[in-house]
Amino acid sequence: MAAKPKLSMYWASSCGGCEVSLVNINEKILDVAANFDFYFCPCLLDTKKKDIEALKDGEIAITFFNGAIRTEENEEMAHLMRKKSAVLIAFGSCSYEGCIPGLSNLHTKAAHFDSIYLNNPTVDNPLGIVPKPETTVPEGKLTIPAFYEKVKTLSQVVDVDYSIPGCPPEPKQVWNVIEAVIQGKTLPPKGSLLGAGNSTVCQECERKKEDKKITRIYRTYEIIPDVETCLLEQGLLCMGIATSDGCGALCPKVNMPCTGCYGPPVGTLDQGAKMVAALGSIIDIGEKKGLSEDELARRADLIIDSMPDYSGTFYKYSLAGSILGGRKA
Amino acid sequence: MKRISIDPITRLEGHGKIEIFLNDDGDVVNTYFQVPELRGFEQFCVGRLAEEMPVITNRICGVCPEAHHLASVKALDELFGVTPPDAAKKIRELLYMAFYVTDHTTHFYALGGPDFIVGPDAPPAERNILGVVNKVGLDIAKQVIGCRARNHHVLEMIGGRGIHLPAGVPGGWSKSISEQERAEIEGIAKENIDFALFSLKAFDDIVLKNSAYLDLITSDIYVHNTYYMGLVDSQNRVNFYDGMVRIVDPEGKELIKYHPRDYTSVIAEHVEEWSYLKYPYIKSVGWKGFVDGMDSGIYAASPLSRLNVSDSMPTPKAQEHYERMYETLGSKKINGRYQPIHHRLVTHWARLIELLYAAEHMLELATDPEITSPKVRVIPERIVGKGVGCVEAPRGTLTHHYESDDKGVLTMVNMIVGTTNNYAPMTLSIKRAAEKLITKGKIVEQGLLNKIEMAFRLYDPCLSCATHSLPGQMPLIVNIRNNDGEVVRSFTR
Ligand code: SF4
Ligand code: SF4
Ligand code: SF4
């Protein structure tokens, strides 16, 4: 019997939700085990790294790499997994575009250390200790990996074959990808998104769209939206219009706006810019005739003021990978 | 001096690493349990819109996003000065019970299961979920998968998503429950109760009726006389969603009962240079290093801790099993309540009792006439600017604290996360295991690996379920290095 292809899943800086999503394919996990020589590499530092190093280059058929690159150790592992995997897939938003933890790039490393270890309501730290990569204790030397100044996506450090978007990718989409591999289907061209569609969340959303303009933006706590009509047309900042389809429009189903976890739709580089453009065409700043430039600007400013967190709203998941966040190319 | 590195151990909020130092006689002089990972939520949440926090803090942990989501909406209720309608509170709690059932089930069968069901001395190749299946039958494995699936279905129905739900809003919940959904949930809750009782029976048959296992549970290897923390209701009964935080001392006397918003006057966090994770402790007792006892501020917050701080369980079947657990372990009743159990391996049993409570309470909520009320939201009228929210995460008391400006943009965020509470106790357990299994340079190899693994498994540190629920073993490697750091011996499982 031919050896089963090796499948691995490695986490870098991650929350574990991507792994849970894989487990949530439920009984199909038994099919995965039947078709692959499946081993997790849940957090393999040096020594296990040796086991992987001992493999031939490309010996792992597919690696799902989830989590962002936050520490030097994450980056080392990214290089190693790249080398040993025939196909390397950025699995989930963290690895693909930085995700919510990528908002960390709006702040310096020093600011993080300050608010976590020094100036914080519970911390008791009279000596002002902060973690260091190397510490000498009475018994010897202890090391921890250095914390990077910025969060990086997987493709910012190594060559990536495919990406599966979503925070996390929905289990049914994870299964779609695995099933296609099991059935020996030809994979799309390198660089494609897997486990997503070619359109936007709006296409999957069952809410009624009436092409209504909005005159102001509401924050989610301010209104109880109608349950049948489009949330954006009710003034809520629903990112569905600037987000790749794939989840089945889950958030609007429970009356909450899409926050954009599936990332930009195919063909769009910058999710935030796409959303701003979409807003431009839906916002009605009132009767414009006869108004001075200043008055128009004032009205526009009023609307912009009602969105006090531009990056956290429009780039909640994509900041680290966006042009704004210094994405390569 | 010799050093032993266990690198990697996994399954904390990220990664973990253990260093054990031996003296020239080959005895343990010290152990270090390091967490080499940080993601920095407390800083990058500053500047965000307060109402986005339930969705943002989900991403702290994909294993228990529901806990973060609920601690977060409760903090927002305060920050926006609003009281959710009763139906919303009940929906939140109902969702939380479904979550507890799936989470505790995953832990018991996939993670704790290998240690107990397969047996602590079984060969490593069998000490995994497949070994569990072999011992208890494929049928049970299907039941476990089925239990997870039906409760994740409830999470998606009420919360919007199986992982990283969006439905929590300040002042309530974004969606009400229809009668049809309610009826389905009621059926699921009933199945959950049967499953919990079945699991307790399995624990009884496999673990309690086996003297070798019972000896292990009652041996002194993981006995730590620490303080305990947990949320209790007005009658000092266990509560996962709401209440006051109660701390009892190692003898079981109440040290303090405080409102979550006063947490800063009770809890402090100690920082070490060699780890990204902080060590919380009880301020009034003080940080005395890695020691237990009355004078050390180290406390545990876990299923066993929650039972230890409570006077009783709020549901009848869980109460029966609660009494049985304390009686079996020989705990005496003092002033109407049982003395705490310090044997940490009993945490697995406590987890199953909580599973039963969650299932029973889920049924109570699913049959509550108010649960289908359409009134699930109140629109806040002001921004107070400060809020603290607290729930019991499966892995310990979880506290979120936010401050905002008058537009509701966050200016300060502080969180004490479930697993973090147990960082010091886990360190104690690991050290104890090392000391017991390494003497005069003699290392019980397999034993060391197993016992260290069991030491932190019982606390169920975050990510554990995610990584251990599939066929395969936990990658645990021990290196023994000489003074120059070269590996002189290595063993693995
Ligand atoms: S993409 Fe989302 S679910 Fe996956 S690791 Fe990142 S935060 Fe967690
Ligand atoms: S904007 Fe949101 S609510 Fe409207 S159609 Fe798109 S996804 Fe649905
Ligand atoms: S609706 Fe948007 S935020 Fe919600 S799951 Fe889908 S893509 Fe993610």
Side-chain angles (χ1 to χ4, degrees):
Chain A
M1 198 181 79
K4 291 191 264 186
K6 286 188 166 52
L7 175 72
S8 81
M9 184 156 186
Y10 180 79
W11 71 27
S13 181
S14 106
C15 80
C18 280
E19 281 85 355
V20 180
S21 194
L22 177 66
V23 176
N24 283 3
I25 64 176
N26 297 328
E27 69 293 338
K28 300 205 179 72
I29 204 77
L30 302 171
D31 297 343
V32 175
N35 284 282
F36 292 97
D37 170 6
F38 185 50
Y39 56 97
F40 269 123
C41 320
C43 164
L44 318 176
L45 310 178
D46 334 318
T47 338
K48 188 63 178 186
K49 202 164 125 199
K50 268 183 219 130
D51 296 344
I52 299 172
E53 278 163 352
L55 295 174
K56 289 199 285 289
D57 287 359
E59 193 174 336
I60 303 172
I62 299 177
T63 291
F64 291 141
F65 193 104
N66 75 302
I69 309 299
R70 173 84 265 190
T71 64
E72 58 183 347
E73 169 199 291
N74 299 149
E75 180 157 0
E76 264 173 55
M77 285 307 296
H79 285 289
L80 182 64
M81 297 315 287
R82 169 65 282 179
K83 199 159 148 227
K84 300 299 176 185
S85 312
V87 175
L88 179 69
I89 301 183
F91 186 104
S93 174
C94 281
S95 168
Y96 164 50
E97 52 174 359
C99 198
I100 285 179
L103 291 172
S104 177
N105 288 2
L106 297 167
H107 305 261
T108 61
K109 172 180 167 182
H112 282 87
F113 276 34
D114 184 74
S115 66
I116 292 166
Y117 303 111
L118 302 170
N119 290 303
N120 161 304
T122 34
V123 98
D124 175 29
N125 191 1
L127 299 176
I129 290 168
V130 295
K132 293 195 306 197
E134 212 177 278
T135 307
T136 308
V137 292
E139 301 85 6
K141 217 185 317 170
L142 297 174
T143 57
I144 45 177
F147 185 77
Y148 278 171
E149 194 66 48
K150 297 271 183 229
V151 172
K152 296 184 219 171
T153 67
L154 185 60
S155 70
Q156 285 168 350
V157 300
V158 294
D159 187 39
V160 170
D161 297 299
Y162 301 102
S163 300
I164 304 181
C167 173
E170 278 296 311
K172 63 172 197 288
Q173 293 286 14
V174 175
W175 174 245
N176 285 346
V177 173
I178 296 175
E179 193 183 31
V181 175
I182 292 177
Q183 291 173 347
K185 293 207 176 118
T186 349
L187 290 172
K190 183 173 162 165
S192 304
L193 286 187
L194 301 179
N198 291 313
S199 182
T200 65
V201 174
C202 289
Q203 292 305 308
E204 309 180 288
C205 179
E206 284 162 8
R207 286 176 176 265
K208 280 204 288 289
K209 280 143 272 192
E210 293 161 344
D211 284 325
K212 259 188 22 210
K213 298 266 187 193
I214 54 174
T215 52
R216 65 158 285 191
I217 287 165
Y218 291 98
R219 306 228 334 235
T220 49
Y221 68 86
E222 291 178 303
I223 54 164
I224 300 177
D226 168 67
V227 297
E228 279 172 5
T229 51
C230 169
L231 297 167
L232 184 61
E233 292 182 5
Q234 299 182 60
L236 291 168
L237 275 180
C238 185
M239 292 280 291
I241 198 165
T243 302
S244 168
D245 55 340
C247 72
L250 290 171
C251 300
K253 274 194 191 129
V254 293
N255 308 317
M256 291 300 278
C258 169
T259 52
C261 84
Y262 260 70
V266 171
T268 301
L269 200 57
D270 190 298
Q271 193 178 15
K274 164 113 181 160
M275 186 64 198
V276 172
L279 276 179
S281 61
I282 188 177
I283 289 176
D284 176 4
I285 56 170
E287 183 51 58
K288 285 176 286 234
K289 235 190 276 159
L291 290 185
S292 66
E293 289 278 306
D294 279 0
E295 179 55 16
L296 282 174
R298 200 189 62 82
R299 289 199 187 174
D301 279 353
L302 267 181
I303 291 175
I304 291 167
D305 273 358
S306 64
M307 301 180 269
D309 178 21
Y310 184 86
S311 6
T313 308
F314 298 119
Y315 294 92
K316 189 179 268 114
Y317 301 87
S318 65
L319 185 88
S322 72
I323 295 168
L324 189 82
R327 176 149 88 181
K328 275 200 309 199
Chain B
M1 196 177 292
K2 250 190 187 171
R3 94 180 343 193
I4 301 174
S5 307
I6 303 186
D7 184 13
I9 58 150
T10 86
R11 305 182 294 169
L12 201 73
E13 231 202 307
H15 311 177
K17 188 175 168 191
I18 297 170
E19 298 279 358
I20 303 169
F21 290 94
L22 310 183
N23 62 17
D24 293 340
D25 296 338
D27 291 323
V28 174
V29 278
N30 211 349
T31 56
Y32 292 86
F33 176 27
Q34 300 172 269
V35 175
E37 164 114 314
L38 170 74
R39 286 182 299 143
F41 278 78
E42 278 135 327
Q43 175 60 29
F44 70 71
C45 287
V46 170
R48 307 284 77 78
L49 307 181
E51 70 273 20
E52 297 286 334
M53 289 300 275
V55 160
I56 292 176
T57 59
N58 277 344
R59 273 73 185 187
I60 290 174
C61 178
V63 178
C64 61
E66 292 79 4
H68 288 285
H69 199 75
L70 291 184
S72 185
V73 287
K74 286 182 70 187
L76 293 181
D77 290 343
E78 271 196 26
L79 191 138
F80 285 96
V82 65
T83 307
D86 279 349
K89 274 200 204 140
K90 286 174 183 166
I91 292 174
R92 289 177 184 177
E93 224 185 325
L94 176 59
L95 171 121
Y96 208 38
M97 294 308 119
F99 160 65
Y100 253 86
V101 170
T102 170
D103 196 82
H104 274 4
T105 297
T106 309
H107 184 274
F108 179 71
Y109 285 96
L111 209 110
D115 292 336
F116 281 91
I117 302 175
V118 185
D121 299 318
E126 286 168 27
R127 295 178 70 245
N128 56 41
I129 180 75
L130 285 186
V132 175
V133 173
N134 285 339
K135 184 112 177 200
V136 295
L138 188 64
D139 180 49
I140 311 282
K142 291 198 176 134
Q143 280 205 46
V144 173
I145 290 176
C147 176
R148 290 187 82 258
R150 69 175 174 261
N151 288 289
H152 271 275
H153 170 63
V154 174
L155 296 177
E156 182 165 328
M157 189 172 19
I158 309 179
R161 283 191 92 180
I163 303 162
H164 296 338
L165 65 167
V169 285
W173 202 249
S174 70
K175 179 192 172 297
S176 57
I177 295 181
S178 70
E179 170 51 32
Q180 199 190 343
E181 289 171 326
R182 189 210 62 76
E184 190 184 356
I185 297 169
E186 181 182 342
I188 290 172
K190 285 181 180 152
E191 284 182 78
N192 288 346
I193 294 177
D194 290 344
F195 183 76
L197 288 168
F198 164 84
S199 303
L200 277 156
K201 171 108 186 4
F203 188 79
D204 222 275
D205 291 345
I206 298 168
V207 181
L208 299 179
K209 291 203 178 120
N210 183 323
S211 63
Y213 294 180
L214 208 55
D215 287 351
L216 181 75
I217 291 182
T218 50
S219 80
D220 61 353
I221 180 152
Y222 304 126
V223 175
H224 306 295
N225 297 284
T226 63
Y227 288 77
Y228 297 98
M229 173 190 280
L231 275 178
V232 291
D233 68 11
S234 55
Q235 296 168 60
N236 288 327
R237 300 178 305 183
V238 167
N239 198 298
F240 296 154
Y241 172 72
D242 211 3
M244 301 277 276
V245 183
R246 192 184 206 193
I247 298 178
V248 301
D249 71 19
E251 282 164 9
K253 270 213 319 285
E254 180 179 299
L255 173 80
I256 187 170
K257 194 157 79 172
Y258 65 95
H259 191 281
R261 76 173 73 92
D262 300 324
Y263 83 107
T264 55
S265 59
V266 182
I267 305 301
E269 294 179 287
H270 172 80
V271 181
E272 291 283 0
E273 227 165 57
W274 39 264
S275 183
Y276 285 118
L277 200 62
K278 295 176 279 189
Y279 287 95
Y281 64 93
I282 303 162
K283 230 170 169 167
S284 62
V285 187
W287 177 260
K288 306 284 157 61
F290 298 102
V291 287
D292 61 354
M294 202 62 105
D295 298 328
S296 165
I298 291 179
Y299 64 92
S302 66
L304 182 61
S305 308
R306 287 189 282 263
L307 270 47
N308 277 344
V309 302
S310 301
D311 293 355
S312 63
M313 300 300 289
T315 53
K317 293 194 178 78
Q319 174 66 17
E320 262 171 51
H321 284 271
Y322 169 93
E323 284 170 21
R324 182 148 177 267
M325 181 185 89
Y326 283 95
E327 298 288 343
T328 308
L329 272 288
S331 164
K332 300 262 166 336
K333 261 194 166 176
I334 294 179
N335 296 330
R337 57 187 308 270
Y338 288 106
Q339 278 187 296
I341 293 173
H342 298 297
H343 295 87
R344 292 299 150 92
L345 284 174
V346 180
T347 307
H348 293 288
W349 193 353
R351 193 171 284 120
L352 290 179
I353 295 169
E354 287 195 338
L355 171 69
L356 179 57
Y357 158 62
E360 284 186 285
H361 192 40
M362 185 174 172
L363 183 61
E364 287 173 351
L365 289 159
T367 50
D368 188 307
E370 217 175 8
I371 201 84
T372 48
S373 160
K375 190 167 165 36
V376 290
R377 277 188 74 173
V378 172
I379 296 294
E381 283 165 3
R382 62 199 168 116
I383 292 177
V384 174
K386 181 180 171 188
V388 177
C390 183
V391 296
E392 279 299 324
R395 299 153 192 83
T397 315
L398 168 64
T399 308
H400 282 209
H401 169 192
Y402 313 149
E403 289 177 16
S404 80
D405 65 13
D406 57 5
K407 283 186 164 177
V409 175
L410 294 171
T411 52
M412 197 286 308
V413 171
N414 191 33
M415 292 180 272
I416 298 184
V417 174
T419 293
T420 314
N421 292 298
N422 298 314
Y423 189 20
M426 278 191 271
T427 306
L428 294 178
S429 291
I430 290 164
K431 186 169 184 192
R432 177 70 56 80
E435 284 167 353
K436 290 264 167 189
L437 295 152
I438 306 171
T439 37
K440 302 273 161 268
K442 212 177 136 309
I443 298 170
V444 188
E445 298 189 356
Q446 206 51 61
L448 181 70
L449 292 161
N450 286 352
K451 295 288 185 337
I452 285 180
E453 204 177 25
M454 288 172 77
F456 63 91
R457 249 186 199 167
L458 67 91
Y459 296 96
D460 184 16
C462 280
L463 298 192
S464 47
C465 346
T467 58
H468 219 73
S469 41
L470 286 163
Q473 330 169 354
M474 178 177 167
L476 196 60
I477 299 105
V478 175
N479 288 328
I480 303 183
R481 300 174 200 249
N482 64 18
N483 289 352
D484 303 324
E486 288 157 20
V487 177
V488 292
R489 232 167 108 218
S490 177
F491 48 96
T492 178
R493 47 156 296 193

